[in-house]
């Protein structure tokens, strides 16, 4: 829930934590919470989530040539490293949508129920996701190079905490606080070393 996330962010803000940016899965709730509490901080939608959601509408091995080309554009997401590459990729997606306009607008009718729907609604969703990606998922090429492209690193820490939680369900509260403090400490060391390398 966005209201719960916003409450957590407000609490962290009151505690004096400073954030240079945010990387999230792009969920409506968390996006609204970040915009509400930290409206002027850069917000990157995780590229892994974008790739997964966009690819879902095409399947692993599309049969038609036009969908194979779109699948290549989806897989190309991780290769974009600069503004020029992003511009080229965006133009390719727009061109694909223009060339396949009739395909995207095909409709199926149900005369009995008197309803209609887009025949290729999953592909339409994929195109929508790709067209919104340049604004939401490439903050790191637009003046914020230190922002991670995905939430993978954070999810690695979450996976570690989850495993520990399942192994030590009876751990006392103060022990849990110590363990989480150590996780944060080592995560900060990791990011500090990353900054030095850059």
């Amino acid at each position: 829930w966005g209201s719960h996330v916003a409450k957590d962010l407000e609490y962290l803000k009151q505690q004096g934590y400073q954030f240079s940016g945010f990387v999230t899965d792009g969920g409506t709730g968390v996006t609204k919470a970040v915009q509400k509490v930290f409206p002027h901080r850069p917000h990157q939608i995780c590229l892994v989530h974008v790739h997964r959601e966009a690819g879902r509408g095409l399947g692993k091995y599309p049969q038609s040539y036009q969908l194979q080309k779109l699948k290549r554009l989806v897989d190309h997401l991780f290769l974009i490293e600069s503004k020029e590459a992003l511009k080229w990729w965006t133009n390719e997606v727009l061109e694909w949508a223009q060339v396949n306009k009739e395909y995207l607008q095909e409709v199926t009718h149900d005369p009995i129920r008197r309803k209609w729907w887009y025949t290729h609604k999953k592909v339409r969703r994929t195109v929508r996701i790709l067209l919104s990606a340049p604004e939401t998922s490439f903050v790191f090429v637009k003046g914020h190079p230190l922002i991670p492209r995905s939430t993978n690193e954070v999810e690695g820490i979450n996976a570690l905490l989850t495993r520990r939680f399942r192994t030590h369900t009876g751990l006392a509260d103060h022990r849990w606080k110590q363990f989480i403090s150590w996780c944060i400490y080592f995560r900060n060391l990791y990011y500090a070393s990353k900054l030095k390398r850059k």
Side-chain angles (χ1 to χ4, degrees):
W1 293 90
S3 57
H4 294 174
V5 178
K7 201 177 285 184
D8 289 340
L9 290 175
E10 286 286 3
Y11 174 76
L12 292 171
K13 194 175 181 181
Q14 288 166 12
Q15 294 297 308
Y17 287 95
Q18 300 291 321
F19 297 96
S20 55
F22 295 88
V23 184
T24 70
D25 63 2
T28 307
V30 72
T31 301
K32 284 182 178 177
V34 169
Q35 288 171 351
K36 180 183 176 184
V37 184
F38 294 97
H40 304 298
R41 294 284 186 273
H43 181 201
Q44 162 87 20
I45 305 298
C46 171
L47 265 183
V48 175
H49 284 82
V50 171
H51 179 267
R52 189 184 305 142
E53 289 301 312
R56 203 170 272 173
L58 302 175
K60 204 167 185 179
Y61 303 106
Q63 296 300 310
S64 67
Y65 172 76
Q66 59 192 16
L67 293 186
Q68 286 172 6
K69 185 174 181 183
L70 187 59
K71 179 77 165 64
R72 283 196 295 274
L73 288 171
V74 170
D75 292 338
H76 201 90
L77 279 165
F78 298 112
L79 301 176
I80 298 170
E81 301 273 350
S82 65
K83 289 181 181 179
E84 293 76 19
L86 179 59
K87 188 176 180 182
W88 171 85
W89 180 85
T90 304
N91 288 338
E92 288 290 308
V93 175
L94 286 168
E95 186 183 331
W96 189 96
Q98 188 61 40
V99 169
N100 296 282
K101 190 175 180 181
E102 288 183 19
Y103 173 84
L104 292 171
Q105 292 185 343
E106 281 181 30
V107 294
T108 301
H109 293 274
D110 184 345
I112 297 169
R113 292 187 294 170
R114 296 182 181 179
K115 289 187 176 181
W116 68 272
W117 57 89
Y118 286 109
T119 309
H120 310 289
K121 58 184 177 182
K122 289 183 178 178
V123 179
R124 287 173 61 86
R125 181 173 178 271
T126 294
V127 173
R128 268 199 315 275
I129 290 169
L130 295 181
L131 289 175
S132 66
E135 291 302 315
T136 60
S137 298
F138 290 96
V139 175
F140 64 91
V141 300
K142 296 178 179 178
H144 303 283
L146 296 179
I147 286 188
R149 299 161 189 234
S150 73
T151 58
N152 284 357
E153 292 170 6
V154 176
E155 286 176 5
I157 292 170
N158 290 345
L160 174 64
L161 288 169
T162 304
R163 277 200 308 272
R164 287 297 181 104
F165 178 74
R166 287 176 181 160
T167 308
H168 306 287
T169 50
L171 209 61
D173 284 351
H174 71 281
R175 294 277 187 191
W176 261 112
K177 285 177 183 175
Q178 285 176 348
F179 172 66
I180 291 170
S181 296
W182 275 106
C183 284
I184 292 168
Y185 172 73
F186 284 116
R187 184 203 59 191
N188 290 342
L189 278 181
Y190 169 77
Y191 281 122
S193 65
K194 198 173 178 182
L195 283 171
K196 282 179 185 174
R197 286 199 299 271
K198 291 206 176 190

